[in-house]
Amino acid sequence: MTDTKISLPESEIPTHFYNIAADLPTPLPPPLHPATREPIGPEALAPIFPAGLIAQEMAQDRMIAIPDEVRAIYRLYRPSPVFRARAFEEALDTPARIYYKSEHVSPVGSHKLNTAIMQAWVNKQEGVKRLATETGAGQWGSALACACQLLGMQCMVYMVRISYDSKPYRRIMMRTYGAEVIASPSPQTHAGRAILAEHPDSPGSLGIAISEAVEDAAGRDDTKYALGSVLNHVLLHQTIIGQEAIKQMELAGEYPDILIGCHGGGSNFAGLTFPFLKDKINGSRKALRAIAVEPAGCASLTAGKREYDFGDTAGSTPLMMMHTLGHTFMPAPVHAGGLRYHGSAPLVSHLLAAGLVEAEAYHQGEVFESAVRFARCEGTIPAPESAHAIHSVARHALEAREAGEKKVILFNLSGHGIFDLAAYESYLTGKMDPMA
Ligand SMILES: Cc1ncc(COP(=O)(O)O)c(C=O)c1O
């Protein structure tokens, strides 16, 4: 029997990030200035991002070196193991072989720490003292809070109101790491005050919280803004996931037929799939499928339009060409808070339009049914976001059974759900709206 847990030594922590921009069949449409609608240059991003990250955002080099100091911090939890989900396969009675990359083993419980560490490091190199950000469910905020603390920086988090109230443990976690946390919309920014004036009980959204954090960073000399998904440099940092997974699948003697990741802004999906997609783009693995899975209540890839739109609700960010539900879209209050974003990564949108990746959307009732089944087989309780990927895996495994095909499926377990137990309780007690 092959190993259930496929590990790599620390020496196999990737030395470079993989930049898919170098291999795209057609170039990515550039971001546009919100007022002039002309392509923006690096100077337009300088008030909120450090030069090193702006350079990565626009880079065309295929491989970008990871600083040794960042690789040293990655040793806290990387390389993350790949597991074969044997008990889940048995429960599904499928001939498919199911593997998962376990990003939930990071100290904060998700893949978000991969980019948080790199972003904090680059900012620190450029003399930035404080980072401002938004967070939905709290995964990204706790990752940035942890990274800032590890690198001796301050962290300011605007947390979407609905999660601030319903997820106290993530809030406490961020404060334990020394971050300042405030509910969004907040009275502290113009953007927050404008929303509160119209909707005093607003549950908030990622788009609103982004407006607040951007405003905070633009208004202070010591502060820059950090985003946990969507942008090219964030997806770039996550490619260490797929690079490790390629080696681990080789050790298992397998090559995946189907790659699956949940999709909020696109970073964990991109992190797992982009290093593999290089082979699909160059024609050596034409049959490889990469599937992004989103909630039916916020289905930017499957129900949105690909057009230029703002990244935030107030319309202060550059316009990006992406699949979007519109920047004023108010997502259903699904438990997968990290997937409640109106847009999607321009890179993932571009690949979807080119037919190189696919997208699926599911309702939260069916997603939690698969999540509970997975937890009972494999032990790990998945984050509600990651559970979307698990539900898709289950469906493809059942399709493989019907077709009598021994498909190899690899998915990204982007985070654990230990701080999301209230969502599990609402599912287990029948209180969840299954069709949201
Ligand atoms: C565990 C987990 N998975 C996935 C996501 C979605 O983000 P992305 O699409 O950037 O991976 C989040 C966002 O907060 C998350 O916390």
Side-chain angles (χ1 to χ4, degrees), residues 109-112 135-140 206 228-230 234-235 238 262-270 337-339 383-386 412-416:
S110 83
H111 66 295
K112 299 276 177 181
T135 196
Q139 292 267 22
W140 165 242
L206 275 176
S229 189
V230 180
V234 182
L235 275 55
Q238 296 295 355
C262 67
H263 184 282
S267 75
N268 89 88
F269 170 74
L339 307 186
E385 291 83 3
S386 321
N412 202 10
L413 185 52
S414 55
H416 68 61

Side-chain angles (χ1 to χ4, degrees), residues 216-280:
D216 179 315
R220 286 178 60 143
D221 286 346
D222 63 346
T223 302
K224 295 280 185 206
Y225 169 65
L227 186 62
S229 189
V230 180
L231 298 179
N232 301 346
H233 69 269
V234 182
L235 275 55
L236 174 80
H237 301 158
Q238 296 295 355
T239 59
I240 52 180
I241 300 173
Q243 292 184 68
E244 288 175 7
I246 287 175
K247 290 190 181 155
Q248 288 161 308
M249 293 306 280
E250 272 168 20
L251 285 176
E254 304 268 33
Y255 190 90
D257 297 296
I258 307 178
L259 299 167
I260 298 179
C262 67
H263 184 282
S267 75
N268 89 88
F269 170 74
L272 177 71
T273 61
F274 284 6
F276 285 96
L277 281 172
K278 181 161 41 97
D279 295 341
K280 187 174 171 82

Side-chain angles (χ1 to χ4, degrees), residues 5-351:
K5 180 177 174 207
I6 307 154
S7 302
L8 291 173
E10 284 178 9
S11 56
E12 294 285 2
I13 293 173
T15 55
H16 290 74
F17 299 117
Y18 165 61
N19 181 15
I20 201 168
D23 291 321
L24 292 176
T26 55
L28 196 63
L32 304 182
H33 191 282
T36 64
R37 295 187 77 96
E38 292 294 323
I40 55 164
E43 67 292 343
L45 298 173
I48 57 168
F49 291 116
L53 293 178
I54 298 172
Q56 289 184 358
E57 186 65 22
M58 302 189 167
Q60 293 300 315
D61 322 57
R62 182 168 290 110
M63 302 307 291
I64 294 177
I66 305 176
D68 285 343
E69 213 184 314
V70 169
R71 292 184 72 234
I73 302 177
Y74 283 158
R75 286 202 187 114
L76 286 172
Y77 61 101
R78 304 209 73 84
S80 68
V82 163
F83 287 92
R84 168 98 182 259
R86 283 205 172 81
F88 194 48
E89 288 169 17
E90 254 172 56
L92 294 166
D93 188 22
T94 176
R97 295 193 290 284
I98 301 174
Y99 293 85
Y100 59 95
K101 180 73 168 154
S102 43
E103 290 301 304
H104 66 290
V105 303
S106 88
V108 297
S110 83
H111 66 295
K112 299 276 177 181
L113 194 57
N114 299 332
T115 183
I117 293 168
M118 183 62 195
Q119 291 191 45
W121 186 85
V122 174
N123 274 287
K124 190 177 178 186
Q125 294 309 298
E126 297 186 25
V128 177
K129 303 272 180 283
R130 177 178 175 271
L131 289 177
T133 197
E134 75 293 329
T135 196
Q139 292 267 22
W140 165 242
S142 45
L144 194 70
C146 178
C148 282
Q149 189 53 239
L150 293 176
L151 284 148
M153 300 173 74
Q154 292 169 36
C155 185
M156 173 74 214
V157 184
Y158 293 86
M159 184 172 192
V160 175
R161 163 62 73 184
I162 185 178
S163 304
Y164 186 91
D165 292 336
S166 66
K167 305 209 168 187
Y169 295 115
R170 284 272 163 204
R171 177 164 34 88
I172 297 164
M173 198 172 170
M174 289 184 266
R175 288 186 177 144
T176 304
Y177 289 130
E180 192 178 332
V181 188
I182 186 168
S184 165
S186 80
Q188 220 154 284
T189 63
H190 291 295
R193 286 192 292 274
I195 301 275
L196 287 173
E198 249 187 79
H199 308 283
D201 297 326
S202 167
S205 72
L206 275 176
I208 297 170
I210 293 174
S211 300
E212 293 206 84
V214 167
E215 188 183 320
D216 179 315
R220 286 178 60 143
D221 286 346
D222 63 346
T223 302
K224 295 280 185 206
Y225 169 65
L227 186 62
S229 189
V230 180
L231 298 179
N232 301 346
H233 69 269
V234 182
L235 275 55
L236 174 80
H237 301 158
Q238 296 295 355
T239 59
I240 52 180
I241 300 173
Q243 292 184 68
E244 288 175 7
I246 287 175
K247 290 190 181 155
Q248 288 161 308
M249 293 306 280
E250 272 168 20
L251 285 176
E254 304 268 33
Y255 190 90
D257 297 296
I258 307 178
L259 299 167
I260 298 179
C262 67
H263 184 282
S267 75
N268 89 88
F269 170 74
L272 177 71
T273 61
F274 284 6
F276 285 96
L277 281 172
K278 181 161 41 97
D279 295 341
K280 187 174 171 82
I281 295 171
N282 72 24
S284 61
R285 293 282 182 178
K286 280 196 188 134
L288 176 67
R289 295 178 66 189
I291 303 172
V293 191
E294 55 186 9
C298 192
S300 56
L301 296 175
T302 52
K305 274 201 221 134
R306 185 168 180 247
E307 59 190 14
Y308 273 109
D309 194 11
F310 296 104
D312 70 332
T313 301
S316 52
T317 69
L319 291 155
M320 293 177 290
M321 177 58 111
M322 61 180 176
H323 283 88
T324 173
L325 296 159
H327 62 281
T328 55
F329 177 80
M330 200 34 109
V334 291
H335 287 281
L339 307 186
R340 293 178 73 243
Y341 182 61
H342 67 271
S344 53
L347 277 169
V348 174
S349 295
H350 196 66
L351 292 166

